[in-house]
Amino acid sequence: MPPPTSDATALDSLPSNLRVHVIGAGPVGLLLTALLQSVEGLSVCLYEKRREYTRTRMVQLAPYLVADSVESYRADAIDGDSVEAIFDSSELEQGLAFRQSIPPDLSALLRSWALGFCPLNSIERSISDLIDARGLNGVERTSAVVTAEEGMAMLKPGDVLIDATGSGSLLRDHLAPGSGEVADGANTLNVRLEYALVITFLYGQKYDCNEFCKYAKNRENPHYKFIPMVHRTHYDGSVSHVTGIVNISAREYEAMPSRFDGQWLRSNFPGVAQSMDRFIDKIKEETHGEILGDLEIVRIPLDLYRARSATSRQWLTAGPRDHPFASSPVFLAGDSAIGSPYFQSISLGFECAMFLAGLIAQRDLPLTEMLDRYELYIYKQWLRVYMRSKMIKHNKDLFESIDDPHALIDKLHIY
Ligand SMILES: Cc1cc2nc3c(=O)[nH]c(=O)nc-3n(C[C@H](O)[C@H](O)[C@H](O)COP(=O)(O)OP(=O)(O)OC[C@H]3O[C@@H](n4cnc5c(N)ncnc54)[C@H](O)[C@@H]3O)c2cc1C
């Protein structure tokens, strides 16, 4: 069921001289700011707590983000089917039309990031530099940690507040109306898919992985199969960057520190280490290279989540009138709204930013309609992410039992 629609709010539409506060200048907050920067009659206040962009992990944007036709938008066999089932053609056409209207300086960057891997901080720096190079036209940047109370206090009636603070969202749970203490998870639907070790290493030869390689190199690993992430091996001309995950139990997760290296793994969880060694030995047999340095390991719960409300719609329609959210629309964008460990989250966050910037630019749009449309859009994106993530998780579970027909059949639901 799509979320219900709203009926009446304290505000009818956004003021003509609009002030937008964007909290969080990660990739999504930056893209939103760059998109809003070219909208007439609007100023943006962008807040960021980090002084420098230091996240060097290699990421890639999904090709659908820069698609120029509905066919190319649906090119991914699995995601394309979900998209076709969830979105109307007119919605897809509108999304593509918005992409065509993105200023050339920004769209050139987006296209270049969809071609191959690049460090996350180079995406952040490029958009940040672009905003500055445009002469800060209408954008005021503040370096500060913003608290939820400060976020609320900065709002004048009619201001828009966008929370782009990532998965640990500053305001997500504050969007559930209520009085008193805000309960953790009050507005968050969380599906814990599994516990995993994310293992990264550098390898001194070209190494590319596909589904057959995952199978062949794990054949002697009945447990703790190492699964390089799809399209997450990256060769920079001399070194391959390999990232993958190993499924672990909740008890094992509890017994591990949050970060460690291969040596610690060998001493404390020899079963996992042997499985990794077997996988890596097979890479070496094939490509005659060596691991450079040690394994870098992080233990994480893999959570699929969404904000049940991605806007302050409930505050505006039914909350106490004296609360700041009752007179200022709030939107969640990027990881603060939806996240999945198996989905291209930056691309998803960028799409949400485009949709939201397109809504805010339509100054004559009634506020209720703006909120309803954003909620529905996020809900549809959630369905898309949920379907794909659950399918990947199911496939992973089957893969774990691939050499044990009884265990495999036990996990199948065929008809
Ligand atoms: C190991 C790993 C690999 C990944 N690989 C990929 C990939 O290949 N492709 C992909 O699409 N995605 C990938 N992701 C996910 C991707 O990094 C995130 O989806 C993306 O960074 C989300 O962007 P965001 O702007 O919504 O949030 P974030 O990147 O989390 O940015 C939030 C920003 O808000 C700031 N902030 C937070 N709180 C406050 C506050 N109170 N006051 C002021 N500022 C605040 C933070 O400092 C930060 O700059 C990966 C993630 C991980 C962990």
Side-chain angles (χ1 to χ4, degrees):
M1 280 266 293
T5 52
S6 40
D7 34 30
T9 72
L11 268 182
D12 292 333
S13 59
L14 296 177
S16 51
N17 259 333
L18 180 64
R19 199 164 64 144
V20 181
H21 304 268
V22 179
I23 308 180
V28 175
L30 286 164
L31 182 75
L32 251 166
T33 302
L35 291 169
L36 293 174
Q37 199 173 17
S38 38
V39 176
E40 283 285 305
L42 180 155
S43 61
V44 182
C45 305
L46 176 62
Y47 308 84
E48 171 56 48
K49 68 180 179 187
R50 291 182 292 159
R51 299 217 162 253
E52 272 181 81
Y53 291 114
T54 53
R55 296 185 291 186
T56 52
R57 65 175 178 255
M58 303 300 284
V59 298
Q60 187 177 19
L61 296 197
Y64 70 75
L65 193 70
V66 291
D68 54 9
S69 68
V70 171
E71 290 68 41
S72 58
Y73 188 80
R74 292 199 205 121
D76 181 291
I78 297 157
D79 186 44
D81 276 357
S82 304
V83 164
E84 187 167 9
I86 296 169
F87 291 93
D88 295 333
S89 305
S90 60
E91 291 173 300
L92 298 179
E93 297 284 1
Q94 278 167 23
L96 295 174
F98 185 86
R99 284 161 170 65
Q100 306 303 326
S101 73
I102 293 176
D105 53 356
L106 195 52
S107 67
L109 287 176
L110 293 172
R111 278 198 303 277
S112 70
W113 295 326
L115 292 177
F117 283 94
C118 68
L120 179 57
N121 62 350
S122 86
I123 295 183
E124 294 175 313
R125 279 185 197 142
S126 305
I127 313 181
S128 176
D129 291 349
L130 181 142
I131 292 168
D132 294 348
R134 286 169 170 179
L136 283 182
N137 182 19
V139 177
E140 189 187 314
R141 300 183 70 155
T142 304
S143 182
V145 181
V146 179
T147 63
E149 291 66 34
E150 287 164 346
M152 292 176 202
M154 66 177 61
L155 291 175
K156 288 206 295 262
D159 283 1
V160 168
L161 176 55
I162 300 172
D163 175 352
T165 55
S167 55
S169 175
L170 181 67
L171 297 172
R172 184 167 59 233
D173 290 330
H174 289 262
L175 291 183
S179 48
E181 281 286 289
V182 173
D184 262 0
N187 182 37
T188 309
L189 171 68
N190 194 42
V191 181
R192 175 138 306 160
L193 295 168
E194 59 182 305
Y195 292 94
L197 297 179
V198 178
I199 304 184
T200 302
F201 59 88
L202 300 178
Y203 182 66
Q205 280 294 337
K206 185 167 172 40
Y207 165 61
D208 247 335
C209 189
N210 60 26
E211 307 304 345
F212 293 102
C213 158
K214 286 174 200 173
Y215 173 67
K217 293 185 175 49
N218 276 304
R219 277 204 85 160
E220 278 113 58
N221 291 336
H223 305 294
Y224 305 121
K225 292 185 193 334
F226 175 64
I227 305 184
M229 292 181 196
V230 181
H231 307 313
R232 285 303 306 277
T233 53
H234 158 74
Y235 183 61
D236 66 9
S238 57
V239 171
S240 294
H241 300 246
V242 184
T243 301
I245 53 180
V246 173
N247 181 239
I248 53 170
S249 68
R251 190 183 291 185
E252 288 164 332
Y253 174 88
E254 292 303 335
M256 291 172 175
S258 55
R259 216 166 251 281
F260 48 95
D261 57 18
Q263 216 171 343
W264 190 93
L265 186 71
R266 272 183 194 89
S267 316
N268 295 279
F269 286 86
V272 186
Q274 279 156 14
S275 172
M276 275 312 293
D277 287 341
R278 278 195 286 263
F279 192 100
I280 291 168
D281 284 347
K282 292 215 158 102
I283 303 180
K284 289 183 186 167
E285 268 169 37
E286 217 174 73
T287 52
H288 312 293
E290 281 304 326
I291 291 266
L292 308 174
D294 200 352
L295 308 177
E296 279 180 31
I297 308 171
V298 185
R299 56 131 225 210
I300 47 171
L302 297 187
D303 290 342
L304 169 65
Y305 65 87
R306 78 164 169 115
R308 291 179 191 276
S309 294
T311 69
S312 55
R313 184 171 62 172
Q314 292 190 52
W315 280 104
L316 281 150
T317 54
R321 288 281 180 243
D322 58 349
H323 192 278
F325 291 174
S327 51
S328 290
V330 182
F331 299 88
L332 304 179
D335 275 13
S336 80
I338 299 179
S340 162
Y342 314 140
F343 203 87
Q344 292 272 353
S345 302
I346 300 180
S347 306
L348 182 72
F350 277 6
E351 277 210 307
C352 295
M354 290 178 197
F355 187 83
L356 182 53
L359 283 180
I360 292 174
Q362 295 174 52
R363 308 302 290 283
D364 51 351
L365 195 66
L367 188 57
T368 50
E369 194 177 333
M370 184 180 285
L371 295 164
D372 290 346
R373 281 172 60 181
Y374 191 69
E375 287 285 2
L376 185 60
Y377 180 76
I378 292 289
Y379 188 73
K380 289 187 170 197
Q381 290 286 22
W382 161 253
L383 290 181
R384 175 184 182 186
V385 173
Y386 181 81
M387 284 160 74
R388 187 180 176 86
S389 303
K390 290 292 276 189
M391 192 207 66
I392 292 179
K393 169 68 176 136
H394 185 60
N395 288 353
K396 278 184 82 236
D397 289 347
L398 298 182
F399 185 71
E400 296 285 344
S401 305
I402 198 160
D403 289 315
D404 178 349
H406 287 284
L408 185 66
I409 288 167
D410 209 34
K411 290 177 187 163
L412 289 179
H413 184 110
I414 300 173
Y415 187 63

